Amino acid sequence: MNQEKNFIEKKGGYIMHYYGDQVRRLFFFAAFIIVFTYPFLSSIMPIYSIFFVIPCTLLLVLLAGTTSPLNKFVMILNIMISFFGVIFFEYNGLQFYILGAKTFSGILLFMLSHILAISFFFAFYYGLKSLRGMKLI
């Protein structure tokens, strides 16, 4: 944290175009939604999904915790994870809509998938803006 403060002070008090805090919040929000809803939806999810849910949420929290204006590599990872998150959750949301739009659980999975896709979409946008700002420094 001290390095970040010194870095920010050297650059004039703030870093223009740094949106890592928003990316951090969005990743943490997505991880929370996934962890919070999985126990309620695990009965309709495939059995192998537990091996996907735990590592993905830990990866999201790890990236949220290591996001920093000093670390371009983590910002690139944030962009990549959010890119694949948008694709994965949007695809799943459409599949849930097509296959289960008439059931309550299908509608719930559709809505949750779209909320997560939108969260990753904004994380992707803010990650790109941050990386662009880091390149300008």
Side-chain angles (χ1 to χ4, degrees), residues 2 4 9 22 46 49 52 60 68 78 101 107 119 136-137:
N2 194 20
E4 287 181 24
E9 287 174 359
Q22 286 85 346
S49 65
F52 176 74
L60 287 174
S68 164
N78 288 346
I107 293 170
S119 175
L136 296 175
I137 292 174

Side-chain angles (χ1 to χ4, degrees), residues 30-57 88-89 96 108-109 112 116:
F32 176 78
I33 293 294
I34 292 168
V35 168
F36 181 74
T37 58
Y38 185 76
F40 303 110
L41 302 173
S42 62
S43 61
I44 57 176
M45 302 285 281
I47 190 68
Y48 61 83
S49 65
I50 189 72
F51 299 109
F52 176 74
V53 169
I54 294 171
C56 286
T57 54
F88 176 79
F89 286 109
F96 291 134
L108 184 62
L109 285 171
L112 286 172
L116 290 168

